[in-house]
Amino acid sequence: MIGTGLGDLAKGFSFSLQTRVEYGMGISKKIADEILRCHGTRVLVVTDPGVSEAGLVSPLAGLLKKRGIPFVIFDRVEENPRAKTVDHVAGIAVEQGVDTIVAVGGGSSLDAAKGVAAVASHGGTISDYEGFGRLPPPVIPLIAIPTTAGTGSEVTNRAVITDGAKKRKITVGKPNLAPSVALVDPELTFTLPPAITASTGIDALTHAIEAYTVLCSNPLSDALALHAIELISGYLGQAVERGHDPEARSAMMLGSLLAGISFGNASVAAVHSMAEVLGGIFDVPHGVANAIFLPYVMGFNLPAAQDRLARIGWTMGAGGTDSSPAPEAARQAVFRVYGLVKELGIPSLRKTGVSWNDLDHLAAVTYQTAKTPYNARDMEEADFLELFRKAFKEEEPV
């Protein structure tokens, strides 16, 4: 049976989803209809070189041409989108008289497009809107078309942008920053390389696990997170091995979507705090950074989140049935994630360019900037340092 640590079911909560979701194979082909629904007359398409070279943008551009919708394409978004790029592209949007933005790609393109929409709508720089609630309405309508099963950015109201000058990531968040509509098309992930499938898949798993174990979760976010964990843990390996498998790709895309909605209404915690610092300083891809730290934070949280980690273990099939002892199921959840990261070949911390001498600085910056008020267990700077060191040495998480 489920333990008694799953929260007060009588406690009130709020839940919202500002984005209309359209999901299904080939749904991205409705892009012209959605632009016209937004009363769009001139469009900016924001994407990255990999997506463009994979041939995912050209068919969508062809659909816009066929319907007589003018557009301009920016396809140079970086792995971790830079503030200067966002500000530059916002200038293009204003100069071109853009009234609708279409984001095509992974989290980098989607987050960059959100930032462009903010700056193009209200001027200044993206850094002016750092934090939550500083962006006034209205914002240029944004249509999100994810091409990875990872970030869930197509349904969240926040964007993470790298401030290159300060070597740190900033978060901009406001309900009106959420995309107007998300066209979630598993077909667009068929050509995703195995390594990116793996890292973005663990990114989505991180969202679901953190959303389920944070102190501010709620019954709706819990339900979404658990279903996301079931789908992602069950199909990620299959999607990596057989990229054109419709069932695996659909399960991953749906799992990523559910995880995005879940953490958008709950939160993320210590894994993301560590990952964003690593990404901001060493430019490590976000999914890789999350994968490195996820099992170690889960292990650290064991004493405070045993019941929830046990439920994750049962959901992943790593802790037997729900009649198995919770302590063992919780430990098995940690080791299942640890093993999955290893199986998928995610680079270790020492292979990202980090040295042992960097760890003290990483821990200090993480502690100073950490957004972990809802982490299942309180963390001090020494705790972050311990986890950075364990990850560097590739020790077992518990």
Side-chain angles (χ1 to χ4, degrees):
M1 296 298 291
I2 299 172
T4 58
L6 297 182
D8 181 0
L9 299 182
K11 184 179 180 180
F13 65 92
S14 63
F15 187 97
S16 64
L17 180 61
Q18 291 87 17
T19 303
R20 176 168 53 86
V21 176
E22 298 288 342
Y23 172 91
M25 288 285 184
I27 198 70
S28 61
K29 295 180 176 66
K30 289 189 175 183
I31 181 59
D33 291 334
E34 295 298 340
I35 291 169
L36 296 175
R37 188 194 293 260
C38 292
H39 305 290
T41 60
R42 189 163 183 81
V43 175
L44 171 65
V45 179
V46 177
T47 188
D48 65 71
V51 171
S52 183
E53 291 167 9
L56 300 181
V57 177
S58 294
L60 300 177
L63 293 170
L64 302 192
K65 288 179 181 177
K66 187 175 181 180
R67 298 289 287 273
I69 301 173
F71 63 92
V72 60
I73 297 175
F74 181 87
D75 62 359
R76 298 191 299 278
V77 174
E78 309 94 339
E79 180 80 49
N80 289 301
R82 303 294 195 271
K84 65 179 182 181
T85 300
V86 169
D87 296 339
H88 170 67
V89 182
I92 294 174
V94 172
E95 181 182 310
Q96 294 288 327
V98 166
D99 57 17
T100 308
I101 297 175
V102 174
V104 185
S108 295
S109 294
L110 271 58
D111 279 10
K114 291 177 183 177
V116 170
V119 177
S121 298
H122 298 287
T125 69
I126 190 60
S127 298
D128 295 334
Y129 305 106
E130 180 178 3
F132 290 87
R134 299 184 64 182
L135 179 66
V139 173
I140 294 173
L142 171 63
I143 299 171
I145 304 178
T147 61
T148 66
T151 69
S153 185
E154 69 273 11
V155 288
T156 67
N157 58 18
R158 64 199 72 174
V160 179
I161 307 295
T162 299
D163 187 326
K166 298 178 181 178
K167 288 193 174 182
R168 67 181 180 88
K169 293 193 174 187
I170 63 172
T171 300
V172 178
K174 188 73 182 288
N176 56 317
L177 194 61
S180 302
V181 61
L183 300 179
V184 185
D185 187 347
E187 191 175 323
L188 297 182
T189 65
F190 282 8
T191 59
L192 201 64
I196 299 178
T197 299
S199 62
T200 55
I202 294 292
D203 188 18
L205 184 63
T206 302
H207 294 150
I209 289 175
E210 288 216 287
Y212 188 66
T213 54
V214 292
L215 299 177
C216 59
S217 67
N218 63 69
L220 294 182
S221 66
D222 285 351
L224 292 165
L226 286 172
H227 192 27
I229 291 167
E230 179 181 20
L231 289 170
I232 296 166
S233 63
Y235 282 95
L236 178 52
Q238 190 172 326
V240 170
E241 293 176 5
R242 300 194 296 275
H244 284 77
D245 185 324
E247 181 179 348
R249 288 300 194 183
S250 296
M252 287 301 302
M253 204 61 149
L254 183 56
S256 175
L257 173 67
L258 296 175
I261 299 171
S262 180
F263 91 82
N265 277 275
S267 188
V268 289
V271 179
H272 275 72
S273 297
M274 298 174 73
E276 288 181 10
V277 169
L278 180 64
I281 296 175
F282 287 93
D283 205 27
V284 176
H286 183 63
V288 171
N290 272 340
I292 290 170
F293 301 124
L294 177 59
Y296 294 101
V297 173
M298 290 175 69
F300 177 83
N301 284 339
L302 261 175
Q306 176 181 282
D307 289 317
R308 286 187 172 257
L309 288 169
R311 183 69 179 270
I312 289 170
W314 296 324
T315 299
M316 297 180 74
T321 67
D322 62 4
S323 61
S324 304
E328 180 57 24
R331 284 178 54 85
Q332 288 304 314
V334 178
F335 280 105
R336 176 70 183 96
V337 171
Y338 178 69
L340 182 61
V341 170
K342 294 286 188 182
E343 291 165 16
L344 294 174
I346 302 294
S348 65
L349 180 57
R350 69 171 68 217
K351 291 181 180 178
T352 64
V354 174
S355 72
W356 180 264
N357 292 334
D358 294 317
L359 303 185
D360 288 270
H361 178 61
L362 287 170
V365 174
T366 303
Y367 182 65
Q368 291 163 10
T369 63
K371 300 178 286 294
T372 56
Y374 302 117
N375 194 64
R377 183 180 172 192
D378 287 340
M379 296 193 72
E380 300 296 331
E381 184 175 333
D383 298 318
F384 283 117
L385 180 57
E386 179 187 1
L387 295 189
F388 275 114
R389 286 177 172 175
K390 290 184 75 168
F392 188 86
K393 292 187 290 186
E394 300 182 54
E395 294 180 354
E396 290 190 345
V398 289

